[in-house]
């Protein structure tokens, strides 16, 4: 990371060009120190200025040569100039040398200390080459991690197990985890895990059946079969995964839960949450990939429309009250809550969370793992929090009346409470609390905001194509006359080497409902979810369908995808 003095140099430039305010500069410098990112990376990751804009500005200001890193073949970089410690320290990349000169790719041409360190270490005169920060970080990740710690096992596919299928004469339910014959299994499992990380999977499914064994990845919310190892290796695969998860390999009659930590580099690791389930043909194992970087996403990247984001940030700034996030499993509720907690996570606040389980570790937040067997429930954890001088409390889920009542009491007595429920819409969340037994007046006086959400797949920018849909059909699908008159382009998925079936990545779709006097009155009068939703729409709230159609208008996703994730009447 660049030091504070160098940050000040770039800061002055951004201020002089009126690209950032003094408050924004102070904020990104604090964030860069906290996350150990460079100033440029912090600015780019928080979507304040694009990497391209910064590169072009620095080129104009300092005259440093500008290079498109995508056009440079990094495989040609010679090993002798790759000093990994300096690369990791300064986030710069030596590209090549000519005579006694070393040319170094950097997104910050004011980082003189990086050039001096490389010059001293390699005995060559160092010169800067300006590159875009996002492209540089993508290359650096591969270089620093050495292609995921040497686990690039492209050759270790099903063919590596062909010999074992013949040699294995043991029953499939015998674990036998210590045999040297299991070396191919170790290699195979490592390859599966690293493939899942590279493909951006969220979950891995290892599934035994009578005559086959399949492995599936959930990518962008959809399951895809990726491998079919020999069925007689079912026991060895499950035993290996259980050993890695520190589970009891001899116990195959009851479900177990564990965790795997895979270190990708000195600075980055990925956690897997592991769940086993006994089936009639062996143990099904599901692994959830827990990438802590998802918790560091800026709120700008989650997909909120400007007015929705402003409303969420406004409610986070309140000293007390309750913010509820709702949606089905896998709809991104945890990321929304963690993003809010990251905004609130300052030195002045005491933040405690009760989660089941704790998925991602947050520095500076007191996280409690719920343990029902030991009697540590959401309600008991919440009671303890209130004796610990809290400012912000996060409850993983409100499941019962006891938890709801304590959370509401906390929200009414000077604390900001964040939590989740499993309902289909924002309005149904209020009626769910009423059905639990919470009095309407308590709900009306404590709840500030409700966010219902879904995750939709993004269209691949490389292969998406326009789709011709008549105006009458667009109107039937729910688009407004104003949308249709603007003449927006509807895109459809095609599919290419860079994506999965025409989609790449996901974006959030939100229904953000503020508690207003009208909604509070409807609750007090015993109104149902339809009446509450009508009141919310009268005050300008967009439902999930309308928010999804806005993503179609912007070319982010397709009509088919919005029909899949939202209800269509």
């Amino acid at each position: 990371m660049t030091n504070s003095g160098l940050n000040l140099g770039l800061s002055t430039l951004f201020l002089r060009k009126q690209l950032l305010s003094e408050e924004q500069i102070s904020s990104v410098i604090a964030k860069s120190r906290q996350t150990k990112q460079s100033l440029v990376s912090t600015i780019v990751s928080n979507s304040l200025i694009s990497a391209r804009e910064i590169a072009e500005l620095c080129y104009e200001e300092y005259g440093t040569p500008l290079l498109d890193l995508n056009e440079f073949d990094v495989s040609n970089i010679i090993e002798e100039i790759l000093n990994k410690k300096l690369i990791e320290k300064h986030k710069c990349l030596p590209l090549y040398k000519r005579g006694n000169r070393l040319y170094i790719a950097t997104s910050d041409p004011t980082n003189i200390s990086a050039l001096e360190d490389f010059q001293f270490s390699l005995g060559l005169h160092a010169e800067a080459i300006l590159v875009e920060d996002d492209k540089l970080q993508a290359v650096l990740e591969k270089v620093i991690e050495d292609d995921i710690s040497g686990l690039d096992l492209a050759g270790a596919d099903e063919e590596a197990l062909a010999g074992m299928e013949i040699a294995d004469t043991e029953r499939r339910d015998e674990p036998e985890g210590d045999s040297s014959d299991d070396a191919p299994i170790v290699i195979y499992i490592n390859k599966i895990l690293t493939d899942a990380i590279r493909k951006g999977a969220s979950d891995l499914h290892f599934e035994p059946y009578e005559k086959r064994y399949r492995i599936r990845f959930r990518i962008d919310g959809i399951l895809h079969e990726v491998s079919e190892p020999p069925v007689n290796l079912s026991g060895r695969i499950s035993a290996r995964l259980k050993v890695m998860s520190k589970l009891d390999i001899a116990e195959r009659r009851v479900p177990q839960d564990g965790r795997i930590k895979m270190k990708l580099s000195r600075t980055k690791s990925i956690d897997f949450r592991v769940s086993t389930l006994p089936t009639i043909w062996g143990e099904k194992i599901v692994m959830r990939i827990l990438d802590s970087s998802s918790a560091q996403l800026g709120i700008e990247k989650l997909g909120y429309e400007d007015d929705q984001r402003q409303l969420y940030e406004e409610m986070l700034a309140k000293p007390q009250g309750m913010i509820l996030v709702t949606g089905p499993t896998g709809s991104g509720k945890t990321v929304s809550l963690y993003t809010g907690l990251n905004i609130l996570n300052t030195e002045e606040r005491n933040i405690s969370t009760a989660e089941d389980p704790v998925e991602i570790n947050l520095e500076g937040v007191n996280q409690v793992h719920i343990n029902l067997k030991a009697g540590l429930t959401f309600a008991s954890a919440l009671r303890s929090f209130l004796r610990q001088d809290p400012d912000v409390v996060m409850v993983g889920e409100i499941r019962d009346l006891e938890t709801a009542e304590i959370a509401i009491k906390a929200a009414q007595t000077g604390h900001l409470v964040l939590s989740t429920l499993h309902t289909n819409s924002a309005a149904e969340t209020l009626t769910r609390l009423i059905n639990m037994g919470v009095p309407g007046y308590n709900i009306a006086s404590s709840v500030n905001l409700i966010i219902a959400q879904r995750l939709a797949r993004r269209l691949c920018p490389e292969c998406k194509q326009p789709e011709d849909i008549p105006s009458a059909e667009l109107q039937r699908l729910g688009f407004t006359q104003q949308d249709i008159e603007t003449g927006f382009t509807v895109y459809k998925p095609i599919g290419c080497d860079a994506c999965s079936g025409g989609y790449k990545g996901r974006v959030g779709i939100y229904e953000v409902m503020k508690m207003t006097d009208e909604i509070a009155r409807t609750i007090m009068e015993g109104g149902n979810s339809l009446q509450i939703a009508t009141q919310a729409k009268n005050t300008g709230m967009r439902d999930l369908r309308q928010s999804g159609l806005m993503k179609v208008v912007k070319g982010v996703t397709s009509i088919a995808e919005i029909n899949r994730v939202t209800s269509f009447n």
Side-chain angles (χ1 to χ4, degrees):
M1 189 177 111
T2 56
N3 63 39
S4 59
L6 296 173
N7 281 343
L8 188 59
L10 275 184
S11 302
T12 305
L13 175 62
F14 296 141
L15 280 170
R16 180 158 48 85
K17 296 290 184 179
Q18 297 183 338
L19 294 171
L20 295 177
S21 66
E22 289 187 13
E23 292 78 10
Q24 287 174 313
I25 287 291
S26 298
S27 175
V28 294
I29 288 177
K31 280 185 181 178
S32 70
R33 287 172 178 159
Q34 183 181 4
T35 60
K36 298 182 180 178
Q37 282 185 311
S38 69
L39 180 77
V40 175
S41 294
T42 306
I43 290 171
V44 172
S45 64
N46 284 276
S47 304
L48 297 174
I49 313 175
S50 73
R52 184 67 190 174
E53 283 181 282
I54 293 176
E56 289 176 347
L57 176 64
C58 290
Y59 170 69
E60 293 172 5
E61 186 74 16
Y62 303 109
T64 309
L66 181 60
L67 171 71
D68 184 351
L69 204 52
N70 287 347
E71 301 299 322
F72 185 85
D73 187 357
V74 293
S75 64
N76 290 332
I77 299 176
I78 56 176
E79 189 69 29
E80 65 182 83
I81 65 173
L82 286 177
N83 185 319
K84 295 271 182 83
K85 283 188 177 180
L86 292 182
I87 291 172
E88 191 170 351
K89 176 184 177 183
H90 293 292
K91 303 296 187 287
C92 298
L93 179 65
L95 297 176
Y96 56 89
K97 67 173 186 174
R98 285 183 183 161
N100 69 337
R101 291 182 180 273
L102 177 68
Y103 295 88
I104 298 175
T106 178
S107 59
D108 179 4
T110 68
N111 192 355
I112 305 301
S113 65
L115 301 180
E116 290 174 345
D117 279 1
F118 277 103
Q119 188 164 309
F120 179 79
S121 173
L122 299 175
L124 298 169
H125 178 73
E127 293 192 13
I129 299 287
L130 193 57
V131 296
E132 294 161 60
D133 187 76
D134 50 357
K135 295 177 181 177
L136 176 61
Q137 298 309 319
V139 175
L140 287 179
E141 189 172 339
K142 294 179 181 178
V143 173
I144 292 171
E145 293 170 6
D146 197 17
D147 207 12
I148 309 191
S149 300
L151 292 175
D152 187 11
L153 306 169
D157 54 14
E158 286 87 339
E159 294 178 8
L161 302 175
M164 290 193 67
E165 183 178 6
I166 300 170
D168 192 303
T169 57
E170 300 168 330
R171 297 194 314 273
R172 72 167 71 182
D173 59 347
E174 289 190 20
E176 288 296 326
D178 298 328
S179 169
S180 60
D181 290 341
D182 286 330
I185 292 288
V186 173
I187 295 172
Y188 181 69
I189 294 297
N190 284 346
K191 178 190 182 300
I192 291 293
L193 299 186
T194 53
D195 279 354
I197 294 169
R198 288 195 185 96
K199 291 179 179 179
S202 61
D203 302 85
L204 297 78
H205 291 240
F206 296 81
E207 302 169 311
Y209 299 99
E210 181 180 11
K211 296 182 180 179
R212 64 188 293 241
Y213 189 99
R214 71 176 177 183
I215 299 172
R216 294 188 291 173
F217 292 169
R218 188 177 294 278
I219 301 172
D220 295 336
I222 305 296
L223 282 168
H224 303 271
E225 186 169 331
V226 295
S227 184
E228 189 174 339
V231 67
N232 60 339
L233 296 182
S234 167
R236 290 193 173 183
I237 290 174
S238 62
R240 173 59 187 164
L241 291 171
K242 288 166 76 174
V243 166
M244 295 172 72
S245 312
K246 296 181 174 56
L247 300 177
D248 183 356
I249 64 172
E251 180 56 79
R252 300 188 293 279
R253 298 165 298 174
V254 297
Q256 297 185 67
D257 294 306
R259 205 173 179 108
I260 297 172
K261 193 177 193 72
M262 176 177 277
K263 194 168 179 63
L264 304 182
S265 70
R266 289 188 296 274
T267 59
K268 185 174 182 181
S269 60
I270 297 283
D271 285 356
F272 296 83
R273 192 180 75 208
V274 183
S275 172
T276 73
L277 179 70
T279 70
I280 59 173
W281 302 113
E283 289 179 285
K284 173 176 179 174
I285 297 178
V286 175
M287 306 173 69
R288 166 68 58 88
I289 297 179
L290 308 174
D291 186 359
S292 59
S293 63
S294 65
Q296 304 297 330
L297 288 175
I299 194 170
E300 305 85 2
K301 296 188 176 181
L302 298 187
Y304 286 94
E305 301 299 334
D306 289 343
D307 58 332
Q308 294 175 333
R309 184 183 72 191
Q310 185 177 348
L311 199 51
Y312 188 19
E313 290 176 332
E314 179 185 321
M315 295 304 161
L316 286 171
K318 287 185 174 294
Q320 69 181 59
M322 183 181 289
I323 298 173
L324 297 173
V325 182
T326 183
T329 301
S331 60
K333 298 189 298 295
T334 301
V335 172
S336 279
L337 284 178
Y338 280 4
T339 302
L341 288 178
N342 272 324
I343 293 172
L344 296 168
N345 189 11
T346 63
E347 187 179 336
E348 295 82 19
R349 291 189 180 96
N350 175 24
I351 304 176
S352 296
T353 74
E355 304 171 62
D356 184 19
V358 174
E359 294 191 353
I360 296 170
N361 296 326
L362 294 175
E363 185 73 28
V365 176
N366 308 293
Q367 296 173 274
V368 174
H369 187 110
I370 295 304
N371 187 339
L372 297 179
K373 289 181 180 178
L376 181 56
T377 63
F378 282 116
S380 61
L382 197 45
R383 282 196 195 93
S384 297
F385 291 167
L386 297 180
R387 294 192 291 269
Q388 294 263 317
D389 185 30
D391 295 299
V392 180
V393 170
M394 195 269 271
V395 185
E397 184 182 351
I398 295 177
R399 297 175 179 172
D400 52 52
L401 177 59
E402 185 182 16
T403 306
E405 287 179 334
I406 301 169
I408 284 174
K409 185 180 290 184
Q412 291 173 333
T413 54
H415 309 95
L416 183 61
V417 179
L418 285 71
S419 190
T420 72
L421 279 89
H422 283 92
T423 59
N424 291 323
S425 68
E428 288 176 40
T429 303
L430 296 174
T431 55
R432 172 67 57 83
L433 290 172
I434 292 171
N435 291 338
M436 280 184 182
V438 180
Y441 59 83
N442 275 342
I443 297 172
S445 63
S446 59
V447 176
N448 290 344
L449 190 73
I450 303 173
I451 300 171
Q453 65 180 81
R454 301 290 188 275
L455 288 178
R457 291 178 292 171
R458 289 179 182 269
L459 284 165
C460 173
E462 302 295 329
C463 64
K464 68 179 182 180
Q465 289 186 6
E467 184 177 10
D468 188 19
I469 299 179
S471 297
E473 177 64 11
L474 290 175
Q475 198 160 11
R476 188 188 72 82
L477 288 167
F479 292 96
T480 65
Q481 189 61 38
Q482 184 180 353
D483 288 335
I484 295 169
E485 287 173 359
T486 60
F488 68 93
T489 303
V490 177
Y491 291 93
K492 62 182 178 181
I494 299 297
C496 65
D497 293 338
C499 68
S500 175
Y503 296 98
K504 188 175 183 180
R506 289 192 287 178
V507 65
I509 296 171
Y510 302 93
E511 182 178 287
V512 181
M513 187 175 82
K514 180 182 178 180
M515 179 64 73
T516 62
D517 293 341
E518 292 79 11
I519 294 174
R521 192 176 301 114
T522 303
I523 295 169
M524 300 279 285
E525 292 171 355
N528 58 34
S529 60
L530 289 176
Q531 292 170 316
I532 294 170
T534 300
Q535 287 288 357
K537 288 179 182 178
N538 290 340
T539 58
M541 184 197 80
R542 287 186 299 277
D543 62 21
L544 288 166
R545 177 76 183 178
Q546 292 167 328
S547 294
L549 294 179
M550 286 186 72
K551 295 291 190 292
V552 175
V553 171
K554 293 179 178 180
V556 174
T557 189
S558 66
I559 290 175
E561 181 65 5
I562 295 304
N563 287 341
R564 184 181 72 84
V565 299
T566 67
S567 58
F568 173 49
N569 298 322

